[in-house]
Amino acid sequence: MDLSREIAAKVEQSFANQAMMTTFGARLTRLAHGMVEIEAPILEQCTQQHGFGHAALTFGLGDSAAGYAALSVMPPEAEVLTSEMKIHLLSPAHGDLLRATGKVVKPGRRLVIVQAEVHAISGDLTTQIALMTGTMVPVFPK
Amino acid sequence: MDLSREIAAKVEQSFANQAMMTTFGARLTRLAHGMVEIEAPILEQCTQQHGFGHAALTFGLGDSAAGYAALSVMPPEAEVLTSEMKIHLLSPAHGDLLRATGKVVKPGRRLVIVQAEVHAISGDLTTQIALMTGTMVPVFPK
Amino acid sequence: MDLSREIAAKVEQSFANQAMMTTFGARLTRLAHGMVEIEAPILEQCTQQHGFGHAALTFGLGDSAAGYAALSVMPPEAEVLTSEMKIHLLSPAHGDLLRATGKVVKPGRRLVIVQAEVHAISGDLTTQIALMTGTMVPVFPK
Amino acid sequence: MDLSREIAAKVEQSFANQAMMTTFGARLTRLAHGMVEIEAPILEQCTQQHGFGHAALTFGLGDSAAGYAALSVMPPEAEVLTSEMKIHLLSPAHGDLLRATGKVVKPGRRLVIVQAEVHAISGDLTTQIALMTGTMVPVFPK
């Protein structure tokens, strides 16, 4: 399902305001009702001690994709905050590109349960490097 | 308990090799057997859309503190990898400084169960902003 | 801090209404503001394939202790539901008795973040067998 | 993929030895390479204070389904233990039957990452009541 222009604009504006995403070199690449995709290269400044992408990079991309997926199903005036998130790191983050895909598992006005997968893409090869599940909390203006 | 000079040097070297920690402006501030502390300011480049520290920053500091806590109880030739980590975000990350404290809950040759807390420090005020529990996997050279 | 008689009675009544706790042979052994303890033997009917207490027993005791700890800090008309819970199983559940201790990490009207530890007690020996962190959701009558 | 007769027999024997599964009235209903299904009614003795299935029941079914899914991809001499498991409880457990489906996300000799879903079935209606992700640890005879 396509998003309303209003909600799409809200997600894009919020994403643009996250300096961390700029530091990661991340781009919002897909935006649908309940599903958001973010891609980023593995910049040298975001690596760990063996030259792979740092867990903070993988986590940050997946958390943002999941958060915006939650935001995409909320009324336009809502914001969302991550309450908790679990990440399984399945493989080292190396390749040309990381792609995080966030999805809504269960929407709600009080809690939105979300899931994200992060894949590393190297040429033709796509490897899942992380599986995440978490809880987003909608916040409404008072 | 103090760490052997060999293990302390290994942790410091590994930390210095994490470009992500440099991007975060993070410093290793305490290093003991089973307990490691990392501090970082909240740099503008690591903020989210409301100007608070990004969850990826909080996660990255806590994950590294927990990982090095695990490394501090392993034999000198071992490395550790994060297998999974859950983070509860308790309060927004704002203040002069974030301090992540990682501890070993249960050591082991196959798995090390770890915990981390992250606090935000503003002048005299210290607020816990995150609670993390996770699983580190020791890796031995073949 | 002691609980009001009203809240203590509410927790005791709710506990008594959980048939699963009766099946576990569980008893509410301590009840304070933000802290609840539940004890249970390891009944034969609650064991796994090696004769140890089943993970479902350990989980159920810890989840209930954490849930009642959350309930103890809520207004008298509230109920709480578990939204999510992570358990680390640290050692096999064997011994004379399991003791689950639930605590509130962060209270709130929308979410209560909780922690629980489960210990196995055998004579003089106490071993931590589980560490849990989770999210409780308060529910208010409409 | 079908399981070898040897592994199928091992899983069935282990399941039969879990007294907790008998107490739950649970049955192993599907057994394939990397995928196991367990079903159980909601017995009165396994309910919580509002008459729904207890979280310990839901957890226990999902954890066992995930554990046997892990066992199904291991060599015949291996056992597996749950190291950690996170459960999101999505809806109350009520209905004629609970069905837990466990799957292997990533196999390994040291760790097996698993996922489980639990559904409640009432006549024609199937509702997902839980989503679980966790870590199983293979144990080999010495």
Side-chain angles (χ1 to χ4, degrees), chain A residues 20-21 24 54-57 59-61 63, chain B residues 24 46 53-61:
Chain A
M20 189 86 253
M21 289 298 123
F24 285 166
H54 199 278
L57 169 65
F59 177 87
L61 298 175
D63 178 55
Chain B
F24 285 165
C46 299
H54 199 278
L57 169 64
T58 303
F59 177 88
L61 298 176

Side-chain angles (χ1 to χ4, degrees), chain B residues 54-125:
Chain B
H54 199 278
L57 169 64
T58 303
F59 177 88
L61 298 176
D63 177 56
S64 288
Y68 288 125
L71 200 60
S72 77
V73 303
M74 302 300 300
E77 70 278 15
E79 300 265 352
V80 301
L81 295 172
T82 303
S83 173
E84 60 77 31
M85 184 66 68
K86 184 195 188 195
I87 185 168
H88 284 277
L89 293 161
L90 304 172
S91 287
H94 68 115
D96 307 326
L97 199 70
L98 300 184
R99 177 180 295 147
T101 311
K103 283 183 201 166
V104 171
V105 172
K106 195 185 179 206
R109 259 189 86 84
R110 300 183 54 187
L111 296 179
V112 183
I113 310 305
V114 292
Q115 190 162 356
E117 297 186 357
V118 187
H119 290 84
I121 301 167
S122 281
D124 287 350
L125 194 68

Side-chain angles (χ1 to χ4, degrees), chain B residues 26-40:
Chain B
R27 294 179 315 126
L28 205 51
T29 49
R30 217 166 134 197
L31 193 48
H33 186 78
M35 200 280 274
V36 167
E37 226 174 65
I38 295 173
E39 291 183 2

